[in-house]
């Protein structure tokens, strides 16, 4: 992976609305080092949305990687950001997604830690960034990375479609 800056908290994503701007404002108010990458921000450290190696390096080096959920009312929607974070070995702080475990198999406390509202983020950070919790973050990140390798790589997802979903489609078509 490329050599990248190290942050306590990192967020990769574009600013395309009021919720994202609120997230930016809260992240910038945190009393720690914060790296924000993407387009449309008042100030960003860079833009690397399609430089996956650079993004993975940022995720791997950060203590906490933020992922939001732009469609918090929808069940079963999630961007690819959580999978990218976990696959890179980053510690994922994921905004609540309805049906996340059923959708992905991800387990709260084993693969990620959830957050509910943007206003809740500053309250979570002191505990998450506390040095005594470094081993816990590292353990969750390692479990999550293994989980992604086993369940969410291209090959694993194609196998699931071919092995699980196609037979169900054929069965219903008969």
């Amino acid at each position: 992976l490329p050599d990248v800056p190290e942050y306590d908290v990192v967020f990769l994503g574009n600013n395309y609305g009021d919720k994202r701007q609120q997230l930016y404002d809260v992240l910038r108010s945190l009393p720690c080092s914060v790296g924000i990458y993407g387009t449309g921000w008042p100030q960003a450290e860079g833009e690397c949305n399609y430089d996956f190696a650079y993004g993975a390096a940022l995720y791997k080096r950060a203590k906490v990687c933020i992922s939001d959920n732009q469609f918090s009312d929808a069940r079963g929607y999630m961007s690819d950001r959580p999978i990218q974070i976990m696959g890179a070995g980053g510690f994922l702080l994921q905004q609540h997604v309805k049906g996340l475990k059923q959708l992905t198999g991800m387990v709260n406390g084993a693969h990620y830690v959830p957050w509910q509202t943007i206003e809740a983020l500053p309250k979570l950070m002191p505990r998450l960034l506390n040095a005594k919790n470094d081993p816990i973050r590292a353990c969750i990140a390692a479990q999550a990375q293994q989980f992604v390798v086993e369940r969410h790589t291209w090959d694993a997802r194609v196998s699931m479609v071919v092995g699980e979903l196609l037979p169900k489609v054929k069965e219903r078509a008969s």
Side-chain angles (χ1 to χ4, degrees):
L1 295 175
D3 187 30
V4 298
E6 185 172 344
Y7 300 99
D8 292 323
V9 176
V10 72
F11 177 76
L12 279 60
N14 297 324
N15 182 6
Y16 50 73
D18 292 340
K19 286 183 182 179
R20 280 278 174 93
Q21 185 60 49
Q22 285 179 289
L23 178 60
Y24 173 91
D25 293 340
V26 166
L27 293 177
R28 288 292 184 212
S29 75
L30 296 174
C32 60
S33 64
V34 176
I36 297 176
Y37 289 76
T39 61
W41 301 112
Q43 179 182 352
E45 282 64 40
E47 193 281 314
C48 62
N49 289 337
Y50 295 102
D51 185 341
F52 297 111
Y54 197 88
L58 287 167
Y59 288 142
K60 186 173 183 63
R61 291 199 61 172
K63 290 181 182 174
V64 174
C65 305
I66 303 288
S67 177
D68 63 345
N69 179 15
Q70 290 298 300
F71 305 102
S72 56
D73 294 335
R75 178 176 170 75
Y77 171 81
M78 181 184 81
S79 79
D80 59 351
R81 185 174 298 108
I83 302 301
Q84 291 174 357
I85 291 169
M86 293 186 305
F91 173 80
L92 173 60
L93 187 60
Q94 172 64 49
Q95 188 173 17
H96 176 73
V97 173
K98 290 179 186 176
L100 184 62
K101 185 175 181 185
Q102 294 79 16
L103 175 67
T104 65
M106 291 168 55
V107 176
N108 173 356
H111 305 122
Y112 73 102
V113 169
W115 58 280
Q116 293 291 330
T117 65
I118 291 170
E119 298 79 21
L121 284 175
K123 296 173 189 148
L124 292 171
M125 288 304 157
R127 184 183 53 148
L128 290 175
L129 295 174
N130 187 314
K132 74 176 187 174
N133 290 323
D134 288 353
I136 295 167
R137 282 194 324 272
C139 180
I140 291 172
Q143 289 176 165
Q145 188 173 37
Q146 184 63 36
F147 170 77
V148 166
V149 168
E150 291 172 0
R151 302 258 321 253
H152 292 285
T153 60
W154 174 260
D155 289 342
R157 298 304 287 177
V158 168
S159 293
M160 186 214 50
V161 168
V162 171
E164 295 176 30
L165 297 181
L166 284 181
K168 290 178 183 178
V169 170
K170 288 178 183 177
E171 182 181 301
R172 285 189 181 190
S174 324

